[in-house]
Amino acid sequence: MRGWGQGAMPVNIGSGSAAAAGLTTAAVGAGYWGAKRLGWVDDGTLTRQKERFEGIKKAGDSIWAVATQLVKTSACATAAGWFQVYSGGIMIDTVATRLQAGATMNYALWGLYGQAPVGTVVERFARRSAYRSGGVAGLALTPRQVYTGMLLRSNLTAGHFVTMLSRFPYLFLNFTTYQQTDRWLRSMQPLEKQHLQKGVREELVCVSTSTLVSTTAITMAECPKIMDQVHGKAGHRSTVTSVWKEHGLRRLYQGYTACFCREYLFNVALLGSPGLATAIHERVVKGDLGVAGSAIEGREIVVASMALGLPMGFLTNFPDQLKTNIQTGQFRNMREAWAWQSQYGGGLRGIYGRSAIWRGGFIMHAVVAFNLARDKVETWI
């Protein structure tokens, strides 16, 4: 009696599977042919099935394209946000915020509470250091070292951590919403017009939608950042969680309306600069305007970012200053903040002063940094 597997006839599994697959294919083919001969399946049914399968394939390709675009957008948002914060943006923003809150230039930049000129203070510190060093040149502080120490003491990087963390969700929502709105608007156009550049109306729709969504992320991060920049000390760091626990969720979103107005003007510069760069390239560089075209060739995005960033940044100081005073806890909404500003803060003249100049510089720096970083990352990817 032979046991199972002992001396039994060997079986080729691979050939059996291939045979089974061949029989299955033949059966399916014969089934379709027979069904068609009997009139159960007509050519129209086969055509609809083929179109359905092609539609499923196209949908899969579309999902993959969207997923790939989201990954690219995430990488661009992270790189652009971090580059903007740590290339000097947070320090410019801190000075502008302190000026908006009513601080003097001495305190906003140097951390000095007195009104004496900074040069006088530095000279006084240098003389005192030379006296204490006993005349040893290597032990005395130079004026440059005194300036550096004052900048470090003034904590110009206050709020950098929460700002850095917020840049990814904010820019991701901003860029993604803009791209999806643009895609939706183009899908509503006739096929022959989908490749054309957007008009002003379509651009404003895209900017409005992206601003509405992305402001929900940036408002939460702005509250602890403002508290650190105005009231914080070196080594102390406010976070979204700490503000939530101490003041509640409502405090985090206090100032959303002012933040939306600010971000709308900012997005006109940020999201509109690539379109302006394209127009500059087409009309100035390709238009062969001589010296002007040669000077900006290859730098169209920088020129467009500066051209839109500086004036829009100057204008954003109106809602941004009201937002700063709301998020420091002085007021609950824009109406209260403007009532105080118009009566005690100098009105529009108080808003569009020194702080507006710093704000314009900050927005111009931000738009240039965002676009340069995004362009580099997209090139690498």
Side-chain angles (χ1 to χ4, degrees):
M1 184 80 181
R2 293 181 181 176
W4 181 256
Q6 297 178 2
M9 200 67 166
V11 179
N12 191 330
I13 301 299
S15 61
S17 299
L23 289 172
T24 303
T25 304
V28 171
Y32 270 111
W33 181 80
K36 187 175 180 180
R37 287 291 300 269
L38 293 173
W40 296 347
V41 178
D42 56 9
D43 292 335
T45 303
L46 293 176
T47 302
R48 287 192 295 272
Q49 288 178 346
K50 185 178 180 180
E51 291 176 351
R52 187 178 300 115
F53 291 147
E54 290 178 353
I56 293 173
K57 184 178 182 300
K58 288 181 180 179
D61 294 341
S62 178
I63 292 173
W64 176 253
V66 171
T68 304
Q69 185 60 45
L70 288 178
V71 171
K72 290 182 178 180
T73 302
S74 301
C76 291
T78 303
W82 290 5
F83 178 72
Q84 185 266 334
V85 171
Y86 292 114
S87 61
I90 190 63
M91 292 186 285
I92 303 173
D93 183 47
T94 298
V95 175
T97 300
R98 289 173 178 173
L99 291 172
Q100 290 172 349
T104 62
M105 192 63 198
N106 267 8
Y107 176 77
L109 182 59
W110 304 106
L112 299 176
Y113 289 95
Q115 296 298 323
V118 65
T120 303
V121 176
V122 170
E123 184 181 353
R124 187 184 306 160
F125 267 99
R127 285 202 310 266
R128 186 178 300 176
S129 175
Y131 173 77
R132 289 181 176 178
S133 66
V136 181
L139 298 179
L141 293 175
T142 63
R144 179 178 295 180
Q145 290 173 326
V146 176
Y147 275 115
T148 303
M150 291 170 62
L151 286 174
L152 293 174
R153 176 178 172 272
S154 66
N155 194 23
L156 289 179
T157 58
H160 74 94
F161 189 71
V162 68
T163 304
M164 181 267 292
L165 292 180
S166 70
R167 281 300 182 250
F168 166 70
Y170 164 65
L171 290 174
F172 177 77
L173 291 173
N174 209 357
F175 292 154
T176 303
T177 306
Y178 182 89
Q179 291 167 357
Q180 295 305 315
T181 305
D182 178 46
R183 182 176 299 179
W184 175 70
L185 289 175
R186 289 185 185 278
S187 68
M188 298 177 65
Q189 297 290 333
L191 188 61
E192 62 274 9
K193 294 184 178 181
Q194 290 184 4
H195 68 284
L196 298 178
Q197 189 174 352
K198 295 189 298 296
V200 175
R201 183 182 302 175
E202 290 80 6
E203 190 72 49
L204 291 179
V205 171
C206 292
V207 170
S208 301
T209 308
S210 61
T211 304
L212 187 67
V213 175
S214 61
T215 304
T216 58
I218 197 64
T219 305
M220 292 182 64
E222 282 286 301
C223 184
K225 179 185 77 80
I226 294 295
M227 295 172 68
D228 276 356
Q229 289 176 332
V230 177
H231 302 303
K233 299 179 180 179
H236 177 270
R237 188 172 65 198
S238 298
T239 63
V240 172
T241 305
S242 64
V243 175
W244 189 351
K245 289 180 178 178
E246 185 175 355
H247 303 285
L249 183 63
R250 184 175 181 180
R251 176 65 182 275
L252 285 172
Y253 279 104
Q254 201 166 297
Y256 174 87
T257 306
C259 196
F260 173 84
C261 295
R262 182 196 74 175
E263 291 304 310
Y264 187 87
L265 293 172
F266 170 66
N267 276 339
V268 169
L270 176 64
L271 302 176
S273 51
L276 179 60
T278 302
I280 291 174
H281 181 76
E282 294 293 331
R283 298 180 183 180
V284 179
V285 178
K286 283 190 173 181
D288 194 20
L289 294 185
V291 178
S294 301
I296 66 175
E297 185 175 3
R299 306 179 183 87
E300 292 90 344
I301 189 63
V302 176
V303 173
S305 299
M306 295 176 66
L308 285 176
L310 187 60
M312 286 300 169
F314 187 84
L315 292 176
T316 61
N317 200 61
F318 179 85
D320 193 59
Q321 184 159 325
L322 299 184
K323 179 192 70 65
T324 295
N325 292 328
I326 291 170
Q327 291 183 324
T328 53
Q330 299 181 58
F331 311 105
R332 291 176 297 179
N333 50 53
M334 289 184 70
R335 182 181 57 81
E336 293 181 3
W338 172 244
W340 182 91
Q341 178 67 33
S342 59
Q343 187 170 357
Y344 303 105
L348 288 176
R349 181 175 295 182
I351 287 178
Y352 289 113
R354 187 176 290 173
S355 62
I357 296 174
W358 279 84
R359 181 71 191 170
F362 168 72
I363 295 298
M364 182 181 68
H365 171 272
V367 175
V368 172
F370 285 152
N371 282 323
L372 285 180
R374 182 171 60 176
D375 181 64
K376 291 295 184 183
V377 173
E378 287 179 346
T379 303
W380 292 338
I381 294 178

